[in-house]
Amino acid sequence: MKIAVTGREGQVVTSLLEKAANRSDLDVIALGRPELDLLDPASVHKAITAARPDLVVSAAAYTAVDMAEDDAQTAFAVNAKGAEAVAAAAAALNVPVLHLSTDYVFAGDLDRPYVETDPTGPKGVYGQSKLEGELLVAAANPRHLILRTAWVYSPFGKNFVKTMLKLAETRDSLSVVADQWGNPTSALDIADCILHIADHLAAKPNFDSYGIYHLVGTGDINWSGFARAIFDASVRHGGPGATVIDIGTADYPTKAKRPANSRLSTAKLKEVFGWSAPHWQSSLQQTISRLLAE
Ligand SMILES: NC(=O)C1=CN([C@@H]2O[C@H](COP(=O)(O)OP(=O)(O)OC[C@H]3O[C@@H](n4cnc5c(N)ncnc54)[C@H](O)[C@@H]3O)[C@@H](O)[C@H]2O)C=CC1
């Protein structure tokens, strides 16, 4: 099976390439700039058509949440029109598209994990652009799986885990928000899930449960609890640690507003695809031990 994935250096892309390297039956091709630029829909069509994949994974995005507040035009061009071009190129080849989306499509004011059918209500430009992307992807390709994920970390790229470990090299204590809750998600687990879904689709040519799915790590925590777990694991592996001080969102102003409750229910993913992610604590241990060994 040949899978084309958008982007070259992203956390999810890199994880997918690494996981697929263990599978001789899979050929994953990463398509990124300059050949595939989400700001240039013609380049998207050209690159995907030339790759002739059996499945397209749409993982590249404008992910700078705070910068997006001042650069809505680029965020929408990449996350909405760019995503639409990826889905349309897949549709033209008559193949499914797996599109990554986000918890930020929700306002975060519910007091339970969000299910796929809950009303959306993004609080910032990034979330609005990703929501628009979901709608355009769904309209462009009936064979779409929109995978909403959240709180992604990995040994690759930029993420909260790497930032915390870096800060602990020079700081004894750190203030971290305690009133935002979510499901930490390893990009390597996202890659496992994508490959599981790819196998599922290949085995079931008549699959018809296309639509939106939530894909996050099992278990939830707030950011300060996540930071403490990172330092506990780091110290256990001989790495740096720091004391975490709980603060409120109001004490840490950011340009873009974040949802207080980012928790996503993954029951639908488990029911339809028979897959669920490991507990976030076990995936975190693996990432920390790997980062500290590097
Ligand atoms: N990182 C996170 O915490 C979360 C990420 N997501 C979504 O998951 C997906 C993957 O995220 P990550 O791997 O963490 O992102 P990342 O920021 O690590 O990588 C983004 C990738 O997109 C590429 N890219 C950006 N602009 C592009 C353009 N104009 N043309 C072509 N490529 C372009 C970058 O080069 C990079 O390879 C994205 O759709 C993101 O919106 C959803 C929820 C949380």
Side-chain angles (χ1 to χ4, degrees), residues 212-270:
I212 300 175
Y213 289 82
H214 291 171
L215 159 53
V216 287
T218 298
D220 57 45
I221 189 69
N222 56 8
W223 284 113
S224 61
F226 188 28
R228 281 190 193 97
I230 292 166
F231 296 138
D232 286 350
S234 169
V235 169
R236 262 202 307 283
H237 288 91
T243 304
V244 176
I245 300 159
D246 285 2
I247 57 167
T249 298
D251 304 317
Y252 187 75
T254 51
K255 196 135 210 169
K257 286 205 177 88
R258 266 78 175 160
N261 172 28
S262 268
R263 293 176 297 143
L264 303 181
S265 164
T266 54
K268 184 181 173 192
L269 184 74
K270 188 167 186 191

Side-chain angles (χ1 to χ4, degrees), residues 198-217:
D199 289 337
H200 190 97
L201 296 181
K204 291 191 171 18
N206 295 325
F207 177 85
D208 61 0
S209 298
Y210 289 100
I212 300 175
Y213 289 82
H214 291 171
L215 159 53
V216 287

Side-chain angles (χ1 to χ4, degrees), residues 5 19-20 81 93 170 183 225:
V5 56
K19 292 281 180 177
K81 297 306 282 181
L93 293 171
T170 53
N183 313 101

Side-chain angles (χ1 to χ4, degrees), residues 11 16 45 48 66-67 90 94 99 130 151 168 170-171 177 182 184 188 191 193 240 242 258 289:
Q11 298 193 78
L16 198 55
H45 278 273
I48 292 177
D66 290 311
M67 266 171 60
N94 199 22
H99 174 68
K130 292 291 290 185
W151 292 33
T170 53
R171 306 259 292 269
V177 295
L188 289 160
C193 180
R258 266 78 175 160
S289 71

Side-chain angles (χ1 to χ4, degrees), residues 7-13 32-33 36-39 58-63 78 100-103 126 130 149-152:
R8 265 204 200 99
E9 294 127 26
Q11 298 193 78
V12 170
V13 178
R33 289 172 286 192
L36 180 148
D37 185 343
L38 291 170
L39 288 170
S58 167
Y62 183 110
T63 53
V78 173
L100 271 294
S101 189
T102 172
D103 54 318
Y126 169 74
K130 292 291 290 185
T149 190
W151 292 33
V152 180

